[in-house]
Structures are given as C-alpha cells and as structure tokens.
Amino acid sequence: MKISILGCGRWGSFLSWYANKQGHEVLLWGRDASQNYEKLLQTRKNDYLDLPLSIQLTNNLDEAIALAELVFIAISAQELRSFAKQLNSMKIANKTFVLCMKGLEMSSGERLTRVFMEEIQQPVDVAIWVGPGHVQDFVQDIPNCMVIDSDNINITKLIVDNLGSETIRFYYGEDLLGNEIGAAAKNVIGIAAGMLDGLGYSSLKGALMSRGTKEIARLVKAMGGDEMTVYGLGHLGDYEATVFSKHSHNRRFGEAFVKNEPFEKLAEGAATVKALLQLSAQYDVELPICQAVNSVIWEAQDAREQLIKLFMRPVKFERI
Amino acid sequence: MKISILGCGRWGSFLSWYANKQGHEVLLWGRDASQNYEKLLQTRKNDYLDLPLSIQLTNNLDEAIALAELVFIAISAQELRSFAKQLNSMKIANKTFVLCMKGLEMSSGERLTRVFMEEIQQPVDVAIWVGPGHVQDFVQDIPNCMVIDSDNINITKLIVDNLGSETIRFYYGEDLLGNEIGAAAKNVIGIAAGMLDGLGYSSLKGALMSRGTKEIARLVKAMGGDEMTVYGLGHLGDYEATVFSKHSHNRRFGEAFVKNEPFEKLAEGAATVKALLQLSAQYDVELPICQAVNSVIWEAQDAREQLIKLFMRPVKFERI
C-alpha cells in the first residue's frame, strides 16, 4: 500500500522503517523546522535506526497526503486538534488515518479519535495503533503483540492484514473507547511507578498494577466501554514497557520529579492526568491514583505523603 | 496473641520476626534436622534478619501447638498433606491455622485449604495469607499491601486486626478459591517470565501479564470463583515481585532453565504447573501459558519455539 507517516520522532520514524520493511511504498513527513526531520534528511538515521533510501522524506504535507491511501499520525497528542484542522483543509476524503500516539486532550478530556473527527468534515476512516513495544527491540526483530482498533472491523482488518508480521503480531481491538482511555492512562500509571521508584518503594509497583488497572477499568465502564479492555494489551499489556522499563519516558519523568532532578520536558502522562481528572468529575468515578499523581505534579503536594496515603489507607475489602 | 509459626525458612522466620514486632508472644518451630533451624538456633540470624531473644525457638511440635491460639504454617506446599495428618494427631480443636505458602497439590490439583481440611478431623478455622512483599523490604520498613482470606469473615478480621501495621497493610479477601488459585498460579507466570528473560524477550512480559491474568481468570471463573480476584493483590499484585524482581525464585528458575544453567532446586511453580494442568482438564479450560511452561520443564520441548508459538499465534480478537 501507499503509506504516509506524519511525524518523524522516535515512533513515527520507526513506523516508516517498519512499513517499508513490510514492502509498502512509504513517505515520511516532518515539519520544516523540526530537528528530527533535519537530522533524518542529512544523515538518514536517528538514535534508533537507519532509514533505507526507499523511504521518501518530505516536509510538504500536501505531497504526503496526496500519495497515501493509509496515513499514520505520530505527533504530540496535544497538537492533534490544530493538526486535524490543517488536514481538513486538504483533500483527504476516503483516506484511512491511524492515530499512533497515546493521550487525551488535556483541556477537554476528549479521546483522540473524537478530537480528530470533530475537526474533519470529510468522509474518512480512523483507527488507533496501541499496545506495548520498544523501538529498540523491534529494530532487532525482538517481537511483541500490539492492537489495532477502530469502529469499523473492516478497517481494523485492512490495517492488520497489511502491517502484521513475525515481529509485530496484532490483535483486533473491539473497544475503541476502552483502548484509547487505557492506552492514554497507562502513562499516568507509569509516572506513579517512577515516583515509587524514586522514593525507594519499587515493591509497591505490584499494588500499583492491581489498583491502577482497577481504577481505570471503573472509568472505562462508566464511560460505556468494556472494563476488561483495560486488562488487555493496550493498558496492562503495556505496563512492562511503562511501569518497569528503564526506557519509559513517563516512568523516568516520575522518578526525576520526586528526586528533584532535572527532566527534559513534561511527559505525556502529565497532560493525560489532567484530562483523566476531567473525566473523573464528568462521569463521577473516583480515580485515587490519578488524583495523587495530579496533586504531586500540578499542586506541589508531597509525593511520599500522597503515595503512602494512597496505598496505606485503612483496611478494607479489596473489591471496593 | 499467642502465635506459633511452623516452618523456619525465609518466610516463616520473617513471620515470627514480624509477629513479634507487633507485640505478640511468638514461638518459631523448625524440624530437628532442618539446616535453617540449626542455623537460627546457633546464631539467631539468617540471611535476612536477626531474631530477637523474645522469640522462642523449638523443634517440639507438641509444644508449638499447645502454646498457640493462632498457628501460621510456612512449609513446602507439597508437604502440607502429610504435615496436616501429623497435626491431626494432636489436640488442635478451635485453633486457627493460617496457610502462608503459595501452591497447589501437584498430584491432585487441590487447593491447600482443601488439602489441609481433608486431613483434619477436628473443628478448626483456616485462612490464607497471600499477596506481594519481599522479606528484604519489610525488614527495612518498606511497606506493601497483602491479603488475608478465609471462608469466615470474622476469622479474616481477627487476623487482620492483630497483624496489620504501617508496614503490611491488609485487605480482606472475599474469594478464597480465587485467591488460592491466583497466588499459586503466579509462580507459573513467574517461571514463564524468567524464560522470556533468559531468551532475550523480556519485552514480551507485558503481553505475558495481559494473557497470563486472562487465562488464570478463566480458570477461576470455571471453578466457581470470581474472575476479578485474579486482578487483585493475590495474583496480578504479586507480579512485581514474581515477574520482574531479581529476587523471585520462580523467575530465576525459569531463566536458569532456558539458559541450561544450574539451579538449586525446582521452583514451587514447577509443581504448581502440573496441578494447574489437572485443573485445566477437570474444568475444561485452556491454559496455553501453563501448557507451554509444562512442555518446556516436564516434556523437554524447546522453550524458544513454545513461547514464540504462544505469543505469535495467528491474528485474532483479543477477547477470545
């Protein structure tokens, strides 16, 4: 197929490398001023991979859109709305878009497929690509399992049929809402995990996994999704990469934050936690772990106190 | 309370240390010929802790039973039946027994509380103590959350009220079957995790968590328990300690096994997996991860092939 990838950060450039490896005609787009783009243009490599010459590079969005049947988007979640507005000014009817990032709109709590479709007034299909996987592993052919989800099973299958391989084995998702919320929320659990690591309480990450899945499952259920989706690859299945891996941006951010160490920029989970608290209020669902992470990052509360309070509340029944 | 701990391995000796710290009158029993017992008797310490002088040590089981209102048992799961027979020959009516080990009877697939009660013809109460927690952490006051479960909520509460602390925060379990199966089965998932580590596929531990919880939840449901118990502290909540920790016996055993490195002895999960396959047949529930672990350990199948087959099966719906 003809595939354009919009966004040439770590994940976008990997997607182009991977789609090319599966035999597709691939174009990778980056913003003109983007450092990632300039580096790829000059060296055709980044810290993770070398781009084969058969992958076209462009900073011309019109060209990238014109070529593609399938468009992967891998930009910052908070920039999706303005980017979608820009795409809507182009001729995109009947194309299929795959959102390859994990997040929620910070100001509204809105899911990314909703944000996207609110800005697109043309008939397009939209899907998401979520689940675990390190670029570092995939480029060495170390396999993993991921999920494609959309509201249209034919679109889901089209993407899986064209992109599945021995390296990435896809499952068909069947709960777009649950997978979007779950994939976004795992970044917040990742920050909490980093905070526990930073405070010397790594062994509480077991309880964090059990309690974290439970609160996100409650939210998904209240929103009309399937609570069991949270225990699938999109959320729990991504905990290895997010809660335990030294590569995880969100975990590392949480750890640096509680140790008062410098961090490059806010992790995506710092925006997502604000969105989740909007949803918590909207759907009247308590999210104690998200609340604690929010209070530490955004309200300058003491991390040790908040996290100990969280796990060491008075005795109670586990199911509540 | 007057508490006897039967078994003076790592966990039993910790339980005596901990119960003593909570202000109880504690007696720790070990077998005469046991190296652990001899070492404690001579040095009053082991690799993890120093035993205060206020903890009595004995190798006289009659004495240990006579003293105690509450009896903790922390011996090898496979030895429980013969040990229970021995206990039944003593005067144990109206005492409360807390089983502090995780396993299933290899030959029958039977849960430990059932094995125990099958051999005891006197009116006693029985509970279990499960969930995450490293002795190494607890002796440094690094806290964790654990679970007490029994068929009698008054017994559950009695144990929690007397043993809960700032270091161990207990939840009341409400599904004895689910917690017993879950606590035992996590050792098998731990072995699978070690095998993935040993083969260089650590990043598949995310998928392992998602698929592992799901297959054990299916079994618990088929047996009449609550599938959600598996996602609580007793199973999923113990994955940090079992799937990720370098201290985990089962994980280390799995890793050594696939690398053909020597290991001290079979991990508990190697017995448990046989029991789980009995339950799989009895209740007609597929357990593909357990099946794979069993085929590698007991049927000399190739680990890489079995595990890749497991995670890389043809595309399908995630919920199946």
Side-chain angles (χ1 to χ4, degrees):
Chain A
M1 292 183 84
K2 293 177 178 183
I3 301 178
S4 284
I5 289 96
L6 310 183
C8 62
R10 177 171 63 161
W11 191 241
S13 54
F14 165 72
L15 292 174
S16 73
W17 179 93
Y18 176 76
N20 173 268
K21 202 172 171 215
Q22 305 316 312
H24 299 291
E25 187 179 338
V26 175
L27 191 152
L28 176 59
W29 172 88
R31 283 182 214 278
D32 206 4
S34 141
Q35 285 185 356
N36 289 329
Y37 180 71
E38 286 304 321
K39 189 174 176 194
L40 286 172
L41 200 63
Q42 282 161 29
T43 65
R44 295 198 71 89
K45 67 166 88 169
N46 61 22
D47 292 348
Y48 308 99
L49 48 79
D50 290 352
L51 280 192
L53 288 169
S54 49
I55 296 175
Q56 289 182 67
L57 274 166
T58 185
N59 58 12
N60 181 328
L61 191 56
D62 288 298
E63 185 192 347
I65 291 295
L67 170 103
E69 302 158 87
L70 207 54
V71 181
F72 295 163
I73 303 182
I75 63 170
S76 155
Q78 304 309 319
E79 289 168 18
L80 181 64
R81 190 178 289 279
S82 62
F83 194 63
K85 277 191 183 122
Q86 192 182 351
L87 291 175
N88 191 50
S89 70
M90 302 175 176
K91 207 173 144 232
I92 56 172
N94 304 318
K95 293 186 189 289
T96 295
F97 291 85
V98 187
L99 307 185
C100 304
M101 59 275 207
K102 297 163 183 176
L104 297 167
E105 190 175 54
M106 184 161 72
S107 58
S108 66
E110 201 71 276
R111 293 185 278 133
L112 299 184
T113 58
R114 294 273 289 260
V115 168
F116 188 75
M117 293 309 281
E118 279 169 15
E119 300 301 333
I120 302 291
Q121 274 89 42
Q122 301 177 55
V124 301
D125 284 299
V126 64
I128 60 168
W129 176 334
V130 297
H134 303 286
V135 170
Q136 294 92 325
D137 285 346
F138 286 147
V139 296
Q140 295 180 68
D141 286 328
I142 297 173
N144 220 321
C145 310
M146 301 188 80
V147 177
I148 301 291
D149 207 338
S150 78
D151 281 334
N152 180 340
I153 185 65
N154 294 319
I155 292 296
T156 300
K157 286 188 171 175
L158 172 85
I159 299 165
V160 169
D161 288 349
N162 279 283
L163 273 305
S165 71
E166 298 279 301
T167 308
I168 302 186
R169 175 262 213 279
F170 287 109
Y171 284 80
Y172 302 142
E174 295 174 275
D175 177 17
L176 184 58
L177 183 152
N179 272 317
E180 283 195 273
I181 298 291
K186 65 100 195 175
N187 286 332
V188 177
I189 306 299
I191 293 178
M195 289 179 173
L196 291 174
D197 287 336
L199 294 167
Y201 295 149
S202 298
S203 54
L204 277 172
K205 293 200 288 189
L208 173 67
M209 290 200 282
S210 172
R211 309 298 296 173
T213 47
K214 192 160 294 185
E215 82 178 47
I216 304 306
R218 271 202 308 266
L219 176 63
V220 165
K221 189 177 178 189
M223 292 177 74
D226 176 355
E227 64 187 318
M228 291 313 292
T229 303
V230 171
Y231 299 99
L233 291 162
H235 183 79
L236 174 58
D238 216 346
Y239 277 12
E240 181 278 329
T242 307
V243 171
F244 293 95
S245 167
K246 62 184 189 304
H247 301 309
S248 164
H249 285 161
N250 287 282
R251 198 204 58 74
R252 274 163 43 204
F253 166 76
E255 181 165 357
F257 196 94
V258 299
K259 287 173 150 177
N260 286 311
E261 287 173 2
F263 44 86
E264 220 178 302
K265 56 174 185 173
L266 285 178
E268 187 59 51
T272 304
V273 74
K274 286 205 151 197
L276 285 168
L277 290 187
Q278 297 243 12
L279 296 175
S280 165
Q282 256 171 269
Y283 291 91
D284 205 13
V285 173
E286 273 188 54
L287 303 176
I289 295 171
C290 295
Q291 193 76 59
V293 168
N294 186 71
S295 74
V296 174
I297 297 179
W298 296 112
E299 294 164 4
Q301 298 293 303
D302 181 69
R304 187 178 304 269
E305 203 174 279
Q306 291 295 312
L307 289 164
I308 289 296
K309 195 172 76 184
L310 193 62
F311 290 106
M312 299 289 139
R313 287 174 300 178
V315 177
K316 63 169 195 176
F317 292 96
E318 204 186 355
R319 271 188 269 193
I320 295 168
Chain B
M1 294 184 82
K2 293 177 179 183
I3 301 179
S4 284
I5 289 95
L6 310 183
C8 61
R10 179 171 63 160
W11 192 241
S13 54
F14 165 72
L15 291 174
S16 74
W17 179 91
Y18 176 76
N20 173 268
K21 201 171 172 219
Q22 305 316 312
H24 300 290
E25 187 180 337
V26 175
L27 190 151
L28 176 59
W29 172 87
R31 283 182 214 275
D32 206 5
S34 140
Q35 284 185 355
N36 289 329
Y37 180 71
E38 286 304 321
K39 189 174 175 194
L40 286 172
L41 200 63
Q42 281 161 30
T43 67
R44 295 198 72 87
K45 68 166 91 172
N46 61 22
D47 291 348
Y48 308 100
L49 48 79
D50 291 350
L51 280 192
L53 288 171
S54 49
I55 296 175
Q56 290 182 68
L57 274 167
T58 185
N59 57 11
N60 182 328
L61 191 56
D62 287 301
E63 184 192 349
I65 291 295
L67 168 104
E69 301 157 88
L70 208 52
V71 181
F72 295 165
I73 301 181
I75 64 170
S76 156
Q78 304 312 320
E79 290 169 17
L80 182 63
R81 191 177 289 279
S82 62
F83 193 62
K85 276 192 184 123
Q86 192 181 350
L87 291 175
N88 190 50
S89 70
M90 302 175 178
K91 207 174 145 232
I92 56 172
N94 304 317
K95 293 186 189 286
T96 295
F97 291 85
V98 186
L99 306 184
C100 303
M101 59 275 209
K102 298 163 183 176
L104 296 167
E105 190 175 52
M106 184 161 74
S107 57
S108 65
E110 201 72 275
R111 294 184 280 132
L112 299 184
T113 57
R114 294 272 288 261
V115 168
F116 188 75
M117 293 308 282
E118 279 170 15
E119 302 300 332
I120 301 291
Q121 274 88 42
Q122 300 177 57
V124 301
D125 284 300
V126 63
I128 61 167
W129 176 334
V130 297
H134 304 286
V135 169
Q136 293 92 326
D137 286 345
F138 286 148
V139 295
Q140 293 180 69
D141 285 329
I142 297 174
N144 221 323
C145 309
M146 302 189 79
V147 177
I148 300 292
D149 206 338
S150 77
D151 281 332
N152 179 343
I153 186 64
N154 294 319
I155 292 295
T156 300
K157 287 188 171 175
L158 172 84
I159 299 165
V160 170
D161 288 351
N162 278 284
L163 274 305
S165 71
E166 298 279 303
T167 307
I168 302 186
R169 176 261 213 278
F170 286 110
Y171 284 81
Y172 303 142
E174 295 174 275
D175 177 17
L176 183 59
L177 184 152
N179 271 317
E180 284 195 271
I181 299 292
K186 65 101 195 174
N187 285 332
V188 176
I189 307 300
I191 292 178
M195 289 179 172
L196 291 173
D197 287 337
L199 294 167
Y201 295 150
S202 298
S203 54
L204 278 172
K205 293 200 289 189
L208 173 68
M209 290 200 281
S210 173
R211 309 297 298 172
T213 47
K214 193 160 293 184
E215 83 178 47
I216 305 304
R218 270 202 309 267
L219 175 64
V220 165
K221 190 179 176 185
M223 294 177 72
D226 177 355
E227 64 187 320
M228 292 312 293
T229 302
V230 170
Y231 299 99
L233 291 162
H235 184 79
L236 174 59
D238 216 348
Y239 277 12
E240 183 278 329
T242 308
V243 171
F244 293 95
S245 167
K246 62 183 187 308
H247 301 309
S248 163
H249 284 162
N250 287 281
R251 197 203 59 71
R252 274 163 43 204
F253 166 75
E255 183 166 355
F257 197 93
V258 298
K259 288 172 149 177
N260 286 314
E261 286 172 2
F263 44 86
E264 219 178 305
K265 56 174 185 174
L266 286 179
E268 186 60 51
T272 304
V273 74
K274 287 205 150 194
L276 286 168
L277 290 186
Q278 297 243 13
L279 297 175
S280 167
Q282 253 172 271
Y283 290 92
D284 203 14
V285 173
E286 274 188 54
L287 303 176
I289 295 172
C290 294
Q291 193 75 59
V293 168
N294 186 70
S295 74
V296 174
I297 297 179
W298 296 113
E299 295 163 4
Q301 298 294 302
D302 181 69
R304 187 178 304 267
E305 202 175 279
Q306 291 295 313
L307 289 164
I308 289 296
K309 194 172 75 182
L310 191 63
F311 290 107
M312 298 290 139
R313 287 174 301 179
V315 177
K316 64 169 196 175
F317 292 94
E318 203 187 356
R319 269 187 271 191
I320 295 166

